């Protein structure tokens, strides 16, 4: 093993190099590193926690679900078939999981400088106790060691919730999901720890191929006439309550843009009928999504659910990948997003209501200082979600804090979201956010813009209290 490179996670990683600021960052971090993880937005599979079955193997757990990983490999000419990504059209794919792990290991250098490298190394070191860096030479050692550990009882999903100190984790489900896995958790003691989130894009986005079948399903689930505007709205109210009965405290809306609308009931009803007819234009389905954001805000005032808006992803940008492999294959690309005019109809109607909690996210960093911080720094209903997706990275988090804090302050932000389906990386992702917040706060302290006792308090709040307040988790 002499020529294997040691895998070392430096205790000062991600802290500033300046010794004065670094010393402050260390002190701040010491005060928060062991706080419980609250994960209010993410995409883990609730069946893991319901069945509590052991995970299969290193490849199917760490690689196959992680589009951050295979998009990078794909960008360097490695086919998704060779990585074992299942096809929709029946094209055969690699099924030798050890071979796939080798391909990944051989190409691990591609992740140098990326957050995936930080997350993965943390998983290897902290979760699996691996002592050498991943490379072609260590691929078998890794694959065997990880698989040997995955069959143990302490690697079952619920045991990992304890090991990771996860106080709460929210999954995300479509409006017509049966929530059977959350239902199965009832009575296990985990039902308050693993909760769902109401994501109604499947019954709001008339551009989706399954829109009409979902509207039909919505009728079956609620007993409402979902082909009438009022019946459809009532059905959504019923489903929101159903999700609340399975722990949901928040909704999530992943629209192409931040467009909102405030149509009369008559206009909205006509637009809905047009969407149902399949004859709506792109502009009309966009207007309908916009109207529905405003309707959802109204329902959030009725039932108290926090509303998350995640706009601006150009989904499935690569049509040949979409045709062969489907969605969520690393082919979503950020596009410019406008908030000031687009949110105005919703804000005109509900923006002054302090009981309404809307959390805005963006993939367009140019909006942080120009649009989002001024909006959240004024409207009582608006808060800013953390740096998201492509910006969930040390530099992305720093850019977020640098650009929004002076106008929105810290208290119009809501702490960290890991937004991940890579369950084992959750502690590492939260640790990166904690370290970067401490780094940013340490800079303010070193420049005498903040007292250190205030910075300690803020570090705690950004890690824990603000998250629970924003998502109403108390
Ligand atoms: Zn998400």
């Amino acid at each position: 093993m002499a020529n294997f490179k040691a895998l070392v996670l430096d205790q000062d990683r991600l802290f500033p190099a300046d010794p004065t600021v670094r010393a402050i960052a260390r002190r701040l971090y010491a005060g928060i590193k062991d706080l419980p993880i609250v994960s209010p937005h993410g995409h883990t599979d609730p069946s893991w926690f319901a069945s509590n079955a052991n995970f299969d193997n290193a490849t199917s757990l760490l690689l196959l679900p992680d589009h951050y990983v295979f998009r990078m490999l794909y960008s360097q000419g490695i086919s998704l078939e060779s990585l074992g990504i299942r096809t929709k059209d029946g094209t055969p794919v690699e099924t030798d999981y050890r071979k796939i792990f080798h391909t990944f290991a051989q190409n691990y250098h591609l992740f140098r400088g990326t957050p995936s490298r930080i997350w993965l190394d943390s998983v290897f070191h902290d979760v699996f106790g691996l002592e050498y860096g991943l490379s072609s030479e260590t691929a078998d050692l890794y694959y065997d060691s990880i698989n040997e550990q995955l069959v143990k009882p302490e690697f079952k999903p619920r045991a990992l919730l304890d090991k990771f100190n996860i106080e709460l984790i929210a999954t995300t489900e479509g409006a017509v999901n049966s929530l059977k896995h959350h239902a199965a958790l009832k009575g296990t003691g985990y039902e308050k720890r693993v909760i769902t989130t109401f994501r109604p894009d499947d019954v709001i986005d008339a551009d989706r191929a399954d829109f009409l079948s979902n509207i039909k399903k919505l009728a079956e689930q609620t007993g409402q006439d979902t082909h009438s505007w009022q019946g459809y709205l009532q059905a959504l109210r019923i489903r929101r309550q159903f999700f609340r009965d399975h722990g949901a405290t928040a909704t999530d809306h992943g629209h192409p843009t931040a467009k909102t609308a405030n149509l009369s009931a008559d206009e909205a009803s006509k637009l809905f009928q047009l969407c149902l007819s399949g004859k709506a234009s792109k502009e009309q389905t966009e207007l309908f999504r916009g109207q529905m954001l405003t309707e959802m805000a109204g329902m959030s005032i009725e039932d108290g659910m926090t509303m998350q808006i995640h706009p601006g992803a150009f989904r499935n940008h690569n049509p040949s990948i979409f045709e062969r492999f489907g969605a969520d294959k690393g082919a979503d690309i950020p596009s410019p997003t406008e908030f000031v005019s687009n949110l105005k109809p919703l804000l005109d109607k509900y923006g002054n209501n302090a009981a309404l909690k809307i959390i805005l996210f963006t993939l367009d960093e140019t909006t942080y200082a120009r649009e989002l911080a001024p909006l959240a720094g004024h409207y009582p209903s608006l808060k800013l979600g953390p740096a998201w997706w492509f910006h969930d990275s040390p530099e992305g988090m720093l850019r977020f804090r640098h650009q929004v804090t002076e106008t929105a302050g810290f208290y119009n932000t809501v702490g960290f979201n890991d937004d991940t389906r890579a369950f084992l990386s959750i502690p590492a992702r939260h640790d990166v956010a904690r370290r970067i917040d401490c780094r940013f706060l340490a800079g303010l302290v070193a420049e005498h813009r903040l007292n250190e006792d205030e910075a300690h308090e803020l570090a705690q709040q950004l890690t824990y209290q603000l998250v629970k307040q924003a998502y109403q988790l108390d």
Side-chain angles (χ1 to χ4, degrees):
M1 301 241 172
N3 55 353
F4 288 6
K5 289 205 183 88
L7 175 59
V8 178
L9 303 184
D10 194 282
Q11 59 171 354
D12 285 331
R13 61 190 182 279
L14 303 172
F15 290 162
D18 176 89
T20 311
V21 195
R22 173 172 284 190
I24 301 167
R26 275 183 191 155
R27 292 199 290 275
L28 296 175
Y29 178 68
I32 59 159
K33 70 182 175 57
D34 296 323
L35 285 176
I37 289 175
V38 181
S39 173
H41 176 93
H43 301 273
T44 53
D45 183 339
S47 73
W48 297 337
F49 308 109
S51 73
N52 202 31
N54 286 88
F55 293 107
D56 281 341
N57 62 75
T59 298
S60 63
L61 175 61
L62 299 175
L63 308 185
L64 300 187
D66 193 340
H67 54 73
Y68 289 66
V69 168
F70 55 75
R71 77 192 305 277
M72 176 63 89
L73 298 170
Y74 184 75
S75 77
Q76 290 279 316
I78 297 162
S79 74
L80 296 186
E81 289 87 342
S82 73
L83 296 169
I85 306 302
R86 212 173 286 153
T87 51
K88 291 201 304 189
D89 61 6
T91 309
V93 302
E94 183 58 63
T95 54
D96 182 338
Y97 286 144
R98 183 181 293 272
K99 193 172 165 197
I100 296 167
F101 199 84
H102 266 272
T103 303
F104 168 60
Q106 268 161 26
N107 290 285
Y108 194 51
H109 60 279
L110 298 176
F111 297 93
R112 289 172 180 163
T114 70
S116 290
R117 164 70 180 269
I118 303 174
W119 301 327
L120 286 160
D121 274 355
S122 299
V123 170
F124 299 151
H125 184 273
D126 293 344
V127 183
F128 294 111
L130 292 158
E131 295 173 354
Y132 300 99
L134 179 60
S135 65
S136 295
E137 291 75 42
T138 57
D140 281 322
L141 173 77
Y142 264 65
Y143 192 72
D144 292 331
S145 173
I146 292 171
N147 288 353
E148 276 165 29
Q149 295 182 66
L150 284 178
V151 299
K152 293 180 179 173
E154 60 265 37
F155 281 81
K156 286 181 182 288
R158 291 180 191 173
L160 288 173
L161 283 178
D162 292 332
K163 180 184 163 84
F164 294 163
N165 198 14
I166 294 176
E167 180 179 307
L168 176 133
I169 187 165
T171 64
T172 305
E173 274 74 43
V176 294
N177 189 291
S178 70
L179 301 187
K180 65 179 179 189
H181 301 302
H182 292 86
L185 283 167
K186 289 196 174 182
T188 66
Y190 285 85
E191 64 272 33
K192 289 206 163 28
R193 206 162 161 196
V194 179
I195 64 173
T196 184
T197 303
F198 181 68
R199 178 143 173 178
D201 301 351
D202 53 350
V203 293
I204 282 177
D205 185 354
D207 287 334
R208 287 172 61 125
D210 58 358
F211 176 67
L212 287 179
S213 63
N214 289 338
I215 295 293
K216 189 163 167 265
K217 208 167 183 179
L218 189 62
E220 291 158 9
Q221 287 174 328
T222 61
Q224 298 295 310
D225 172 12
T226 57
H227 285 74
S228 83
W229 174 236
Q230 290 305 330
Y232 168 71
L233 293 179
Q234 191 54 29
L236 285 169
R237 285 191 185 92
I238 292 169
R239 290 306 286 173
R240 290 171 68 105
Q241 183 57 48
F242 182 71
F243 273 65
R244 288 180 68 68
D245 294 340
H246 292 77
T249 66
T251 71
D252 184 29
H253 308 273
H255 290 195
T257 75
K259 185 177 182 66
T260 65
N262 187 10
L263 305 175
S264 69
D266 193 43
E267 289 169 321
S269 172
K270 283 186 181 134
L271 182 60
F272 178 54
Q273 294 306 326
L274 201 57
C275 289
L276 289 177
S277 75
K279 289 181 193 136
S281 67
K282 289 278 169 208
E283 290 72 29
Q284 286 163 328
T285 55
E286 169 76 347
L287 182 61
F288 184 68
R289 287 189 292 266
Q291 177 62 24
M292 288 311 297
L293 276 187
T294 307
E295 300 290 347
M296 290 290 110
M299 289 186 201
S300 274
I301 291 169
E302 290 170 19
D303 64 21
M305 278 212 266
T306 295
M307 181 175 184
Q308 304 169 93
I309 304 178
H310 282 92
F314 190 133
R315 303 273 172 185
N316 311 312
H317 193 268
N318 184 335
S320 41
I321 289 291
F322 180 66
E323 274 157 35
R324 177 161 288 182
F325 298 97
D328 300 325
K329 294 298 175 285
D332 299 341
I333 308 290
S335 50
T337 305
E338 198 278 341
F339 291 88
V340 174
S341 301
N342 276 327
L343 288 180
K344 192 164 168 31
L346 186 158
L347 293 173
D348 286 349
K349 191 161 186 187
Y350 297 125
N352 296 302
N353 190 328
L356 176 62
K357 291 178 191 294
I358 299 177
I359 303 176
L360 299 174
F361 295 79
T362 194
L363 293 174
D364 181 352
E365 291 184 316
T366 68
T367 63
Y368 282 158
R370 186 185 62 234
E371 302 185 24
L372 289 179
L375 283 165
H378 170 70
Y379 283 100
S381 57
L382 294 182
K383 297 275 182 288
L384 301 184
W388 171 41
W389 196 345
F390 293 95
H391 312 304
D392 176 8
S393 66
E395 298 293 341
M397 291 174 189
L398 281 173
R399 287 192 294 267
F400 173 78
R401 290 281 179 220
H402 278 292
Q403 294 192 35
V404 310
T405 305
E406 287 174 320
T407 299
F410 288 106
Y411 294 89
N412 283 308
T413 66
V414 301
F416 179 63
N417 287 183
D418 55 70
D419 196 14
T420 192
R421 56 197 84 226
F423 178 42
L424 270 63
S425 73
I426 287 177
R429 289 169 190 254
H430 285 258
D431 188 62
V432 169
R434 291 175 189 197
R435 286 172 180 276
I436 294 298
D437 278 338
C438 289
R439 171 177 173 159
F440 181 73
L441 291 166
L444 297 185
V445 173
E447 292 168 15
H448 305 291
R449 298 157 73 186
L450 200 65
N451 297 327
E452 190 167 331
D453 60 339
E454 293 175 296
H456 276 284
E457 192 177 294
L458 273 164
Q460 297 260 349
Q461 289 166 335
L462 296 177
T463 304
Y464 191 75
Q465 286 91 344
L466 288 179
V467 188
K468 295 187 78 166
Q469 275 167 25
Y471 288 87
Q472 308 184 73
L473 297 171
D474 284 317

